[in-house]
Amino acid sequence: MDKVPMTVAGYAALEKELKFRQTEERPRIILAIQEARAHGDLSENAEYSAAKEAQSMNEGRIAELEDKLGRADVIDTAKLSGDTIKFGATVSLIDEDTEEKKTYQIVGDMEADVKSGKVSISSPIARALIGKRKGDSVQVVTPGGGKSYEIEALAFR
């Protein structure tokens, strides 16, 4: 079983989602199934089919969350330090073509969210940044083409 790297905040978010799905979503779906079952013929009952599908999706997500949390290698990024980029680093970059500044934190696959500035450790940008230092220039090959960035700063929070 492979360990899954995860920040403390990412682990807490997955635990919160798991608790919600087990204590609130599961009972709500069971109630919906019971109500749909009370309407009679199940073979032509769209409400019953929809509720059973929702149950299947919820139970699948619960199993996935339990698996990830069970294999989690929780890393407290506030305790990390150094001058090279690694898991948990928050990196400020300058696009060498447009001079646009971007800041990303390198996190586990399950907690990645580019819109909030969190990129997966397995993403092209994170793989290009790992091991680099402030002032280095990196080339990132993405599906949209190549990009060139200068590393402006790095921190562990």
Side-chain angles (χ1 to χ4, degrees):
M1 248 179 12
D2 295 337
K3 287 287 190 182
V4 178
M6 197 174 297
T7 64
V8 174
Y11 187 86
L14 292 183
E15 276 187 321
K16 181 179 177 183
E17 181 185 351
L18 178 62
K19 184 178 179 185
F20 168 78
R21 288 183 176 278
Q22 290 175 325
T23 62
E24 294 181 36
E25 195 66 9
R26 184 183 275 164
R28 185 194 65 75
I29 292 170
I30 290 170
L31 200 61
I33 291 172
Q34 289 172 346
E35 288 175 10
R37 194 177 275 151
H39 291 120
D41 185 12
L42 300 181
S43 65
E44 295 181 14
N45 190 331
E47 289 176 15
Y48 179 78
S49 296
K52 288 299 280 184
E53 185 174 331
Q55 182 183 39
S56 175
M57 290 176 60
N58 190 57
E59 294 302 318
R61 181 66 177 158
I62 287 172
E64 180 184 16
L65 290 168
E66 288 174 337
D67 174 60
K68 296 295 184 196
L69 290 169
R71 295 186 302 130
D73 182 12
V74 181
I75 299 167
D76 187 351
T77 57
K79 294 181 180 176
L80 298 176
S81 62
D83 60 355
T84 59
I85 298 171
K86 56 190 165 203
F87 180 88
T90 300
V91 185
S92 296
L93 304 171
I94 299 174
D95 187 316
E96 292 183 344
D97 297 327
T98 64
E99 298 296 317
E100 180 183 352
K101 291 186 179 186
K102 296 182 180 193
T103 301
Y104 296 117
Q105 181 182 20
I106 300 172
V107 297
D109 293 336
M110 291 291 292
E111 54 191 315
D113 180 14
V114 176
K115 291 178 183 171
S116 66
K118 296 179 183 219
V119 295
S120 165
I121 186 80
S122 59
S123 68
I125 192 158
R127 288 191 310 231
L129 291 171
I130 297 293
K132 301 290 192 281
R133 301 172 186 274
K134 179 180 173 181
D136 287 354
S137 184
V138 293
Q139 306 296 318
V140 181
V141 179
T142 64
K147 286 285 217 177
S148 198
Y149 295 101
E150 180 184 338
I151 301 169
E152 181 181 45
L154 106 103
F156 294 96
R157 303 178 189 147

